[in-house]
Amino acid sequence: GENVEQHPSTLSVQEGDSAVIKCTYSDSASNYFPWYKQELGKRPQLIIDIRSNVGEKKDQRIAVTLNKTAKHFSLHITETQPEDSAVYFCAASRYNQGGKLIFGQGTELSVKP
Amino acid sequence: DADVTQTPRNRITKTGKRIMLECSQTKGHDRMYWYRQDPGLGLRLIYYSFDVKDINKGEISDGYSVSRQAQAKFSLSLESAIPNQTALYFCATSERGDGYTFGSGTRLTVV
């Protein structure tokens, strides 16, 4: 069945450094790839998403890249800040066939001041 | 964000009891979903609904049932709760399959 693998499970960086989280997906028909941030005790919230007709998307300090051939996509956070500390989830879906998201296992990012 | 409301926020129940988790939304979205979150396993899809007459099983539907009472309401039931159903449960909505809005979650403990 459909599967999304996410790595690493935990990531610790110094404030100001960059962080990269990687995901691979199994369903070659997937065409929508969002990233969610979940702060402690809070609900997941969408931070950025990309569709399969685009290879890269940026929003200030965050960016997502997509490699359809290899079936993987990555989240890049530059100039990390302590408030970036959270659990990040990647997900994939066939947007035009229902949109049920399959999530990765999550990455706990810790940014040390 | 009060757009997607889950009740209760926390619940402790005994093994074998029936329990219902409720979700209501004011976003006017047709699509609603139930996920459970376990440490190290991410969010796993239990059931989803694209409209009142459309209910679909997700990855882990065994032991669960749902009811879509109206466009705005989607309830999740555990017919006979067991300890490994202890988890954080999230309801979510979307308009077209993107931009999910999650509820605040229900933390369920089965003892």
Side-chain angles (χ1 to χ4, degrees):
Chain A
E2 301 148 338
N3 188 49
V4 176
E5 294 288 331
Q6 183 173 346
H7 299 281
S9 57
T10 61
L11 179 60
S12 181
V13 300
Q14 289 295 131
E15 183 177 0
D17 287 350
S18 295
V20 180
I21 303 170
K22 299 182 179 181
C23 289
T24 59
Y25 59 97
S26 61
D27 182 4
S28 57
S30 293
N31 54 12
Y32 175 65
F33 308 93
W35 286 87
Y36 284 80
K37 175 183 181 182
Q38 186 181 28
E39 297 177 342
L40 189 63
K42 302 282 185 66
R43 72 191 75 193
Q45 293 198 304
L46 179 69
I47 55 172
I48 194 167
D49 57 12
I50 191 169
R51 302 183 195 284
S52 59
N53 59 346
V54 175
E56 183 176 1
K57 184 176 180 181
K58 288 184 179 180
D59 183 2
Q60 299 182 332
R61 296 186 297 108
I62 61 174
V64 57
T65 59
L66 172 65
N67 183 326
K68 289 188 294 182
T69 302
K71 292 192 290 185
H72 69 70
F73 56 112
S74 300
L75 178 71
H76 305 252
I77 306 174
T78 58
E79 300 173 16
T80 54
Q81 301 168 2
E83 52 265 39
D84 294 329
S85 296
V87 178
Y88 291 81
F89 293 98
C90 63
S93 75
R94 299 184 185 186
Y95 170 74
N96 54 345
Q97 295 183 32
K100 60 183 177 76
L101 288 176
I102 304 300
F103 284 84
Q105 297 86 348
T107 296
E108 184 174 0
L109 173 64
S110 176
V111 181
K112 299 187 184 305
Chain B
D1 188 338
D3 288 347
V4 182
T5 303
Q6 289 184 235
T7 56
R9 290 296 305 275
N10 292 281
R11 180 73 182 267
I12 300 174
T13 192
K14 294 184 177 180
T15 298
K17 292 291 187 181
R18 183 179 189 276
I19 182 170
M20 179 182 288
L21 310 183
E22 299 187 351
C23 177
S24 63
Q25 52 117 345
T26 58
K27 298 186 74 70
H29 290 168
D30 286 329
R31 304 181 187 200
M32 299 187 74
Y33 312 82
W34 275 104
Y35 285 86
R36 69 175 274 177
Q37 183 176 12
D38 300 276
L41 297 178
L43 292 144
R44 293 182 292 166
L45 184 62
I46 307 172
Y47 270 95
Y48 60 104
S49 170
F50 290 160
D51 65 41
V52 174
K53 297 181 180 180
D54 180 77
I55 303 289
N56 304 279
K57 292 183 177 181
E59 307 166 74
I60 54 165
S61 59
D62 288 349
Y64 302 94
S65 62
V66 290
S67 174
R68 187 81 184 265
Q69 302 96 321
Q71 187 209 34
K73 295 183 182 296
F74 192 36
S75 300
L76 175 72
S77 293
L78 286 67
E79 298 301 325
S80 179
I82 56 177
N84 76 0
Q85 291 178 313
T86 293
L88 182 57
Y89 290 85
F90 284 103
C91 173
T93 74
S94 75
E95 183 174 8
R96 303 164 305 206
D98 60 351
Y100 278 29
T101 299
F102 282 88
S104 297
T106 295
R107 187 167 295 281
L108 177 66
T109 302
V110 183
V111 297

